[in-house]
Amino acid sequence: MPWLCTRLMGESPRWLIVRGHHEQALRVLHKAARWNRVKLPEDRELRALIKDIQEESMTPPAMGTEGTTKKWYQRAVPSLLRTRPIQIITVVVCIDYFSVSLVFDGLNMNGDSYTSDPFLYLVLSGLAEIPAYVLAAPVIDRWGRRLPTVLIFVLCGVIITTVAFIPPELHALMMVLALTGKLCISAIFQILYLYASELFPTEVRMQGIGAATVFSQLASTLVPFITTFLGPVLPWLPSLIFGIVAAVAGVVTLALRESKGVPLPDTLADLNKTTASATSATTTSATTTTCATIATTTTRATIATITISEKDVDK
């Protein structure tokens, strides 16, 4: 099945262009055009456009002895840790993947602590994923990726942490809150796949998703130890761990940028430009707000002075 999917989908044209595989990129574009029943420009125009895209994505090579040393140094450093922006994205996305897998699998395996009927909980837990998967797409289409991820992560953390302090006799309340947390974490699972793919540049996208998946599987490996060994001794502790992890992941996600409506970066250089532009826009907005505040304060002070002067004249 995976082989069939790869044969049908083909490779990313952007990645092929950046890597210099122009003819293969042309074949993929023509195949996509046939499937979508659209007409492409002539091959001559497409090749010129492809050449321009590749030239824009290339950085000038280093010259001289110092440049040679820098080139070898860059080859020694992993691509996901080469620049500050990609470091932040890699660390935060790995934390998010670790957290979402830990909470998702933890809620599935800790059903004995939430209800006296684990079979009913398992069925309802699966049904709770349906609205999460359905509503995730329109939510991020309207409010972006970053804000929903942060809010849902924090909400999920608060809900599951609350479960840890509910008396064991209230099984119905515990199950309702646990299922609500399952709905939230299922929605985040869907959002993260898209969000992470938009954050990583094309040339390191698969490396970034692969690294995040490793942390995700590591979390899934740790879940049985939390629910099996800690659960029977301290039934409230697994829920507390899952809640804190989800809330911390939501706060950490604030370090990421919004990706909705932003062109996907092809290279690390494009990512640096995008980050610099976003920082510049934020600084300009903050400066404008500060200037407006100062101007308003000055105007109010001037009006107050004039009013006081008029009162003195009246006296």
Side-chain angles (χ1 to χ4, degrees):
M1 183 61 71
W3 177 84
L4 179 61
C5 292
T6 55
R7 296 294 296 179
L8 292 175
M9 294 176 60
E11 188 55 81
S12 167
R14 284 178 174 269
W15 185 87
L16 293 172
I17 293 171
V18 171
R19 294 295 180 178
H21 305 296
H22 295 179
E23 295 301 324
Q24 189 175 352
L26 277 175
R27 289 195 295 270
V28 173
L29 289 174
H30 283 297
K31 181 179 179 180
R34 288 196 304 270
W35 283 20
N36 293 279
R37 298 179 181 179
V38 296
K39 184 177 181 181
L40 293 176
E42 297 182 358
D43 287 353
R44 177 176 52 83
E45 298 180 11
L46 285 177
R47 285 191 173 89
L49 180 60
I50 288 174
K51 184 178 179 181
D52 293 339
I53 293 175
Q54 186 182 24
E55 290 177 354
E56 291 177 0
S57 65
M58 293 176 61
T59 55
M63 302 299 292
T65 306
E66 182 179 357
T68 305
T69 304
K70 182 177 180 181
K71 183 177 181 181
W72 279 102
Y73 172 75
Q74 287 183 347
R75 286 182 177 177
V77 176
S79 300
L80 295 177
L81 301 175
R82 188 168 297 171
T83 62
R84 182 68 174 176
I86 195 62
Q87 290 173 359
I88 294 175
I89 293 174
T90 302
V91 172
V92 175
V93 170
C94 287
I95 292 175
D96 285 349
Y97 266 70
F98 178 90
S99 303
V100 75
S101 292
L102 186 76
V103 178
F104 185 90
D105 294 338
L107 291 177
N108 284 337
M109 300 188 65
N110 203 36
D112 294 341
S113 301
Y114 300 140
T115 178
S116 57
D117 189 351
F119 300 102
L120 176 62
Y121 174 81
L122 186 62
V123 172
L124 295 178
S125 177
L127 294 176
E129 298 180 20
I130 297 176
Y133 299 153
V134 173
L135 296 177
V139 166
I140 62 176
D141 183 62
R142 180 169 183 178
W143 288 290
R145 285 69 161 141
R146 181 172 175 264
L147 182 60
T149 302
V150 172
L151 293 181
I152 298 175
F153 250 136
V154 174
L155 177 62
C156 180
V158 172
I159 292 173
I160 300 176
T161 303
T162 304
V163 174
F165 298 98
I166 296 178
E169 296 80 14
L170 303 176
H171 283 296
L173 180 59
M174 292 180 65
M175 185 172 67
V176 169
L177 292 178
L179 292 175
T180 306
K182 180 63 180 301
L183 186 148
C184 293
I185 205 66
S186 300
I188 297 175
F189 232 129
Q190 296 301 305
I191 297 173
L192 271 182
Y193 279 115
L194 175 64
Y195 194 19
S197 299
E198 293 178 345
L199 288 172
F200 285 108
T202 302
E203 65 175 345
V204 296
R205 184 166 294 125
M206 294 308 299
Q207 297 178 37
I209 300 299
T213 304
V214 171
F215 280 84
S216 174
Q217 297 302 317
L218 176 62
S220 299
T221 305
L222 295 177
V223 167
F225 296 96
I226 297 175
T227 58
T228 304
F229 294 109
L230 297 181
V233 180
L234 298 171
W236 53 268
L237 187 55
S239 298
L240 184 62
I241 293 175
F242 301 148
I244 293 176
V245 168
V248 170
V251 174
V252 170
T253 307
L254 290 171
L256 298 177
R257 61 179 176 84
E258 177 57 61
S259 61
K260 178 187 177 185
V262 179
L264 295 180
D266 290 327
T267 62
L268 295 177
D270 293 340
L271 176 63
N272 294 336
K273 294 177 183 178
T274 302
T275 305
S277 301
T279 304
S280 177
T282 303
T283 305
T284 303
S285 177
T287 304
T288 303
T289 303
T290 304
C291 292
T293 304
I294 294 174
T296 302
T297 305
T298 305
T299 303
R300 291 177 179 176
T302 304
I303 294 174
T305 304
I306 294 173
T307 304
I308 294 173
S309 300
E310 290 177 351
K311 292 181 179 180
D312 293 340
V313 171
D314 293 339
K315 292 180 178 180

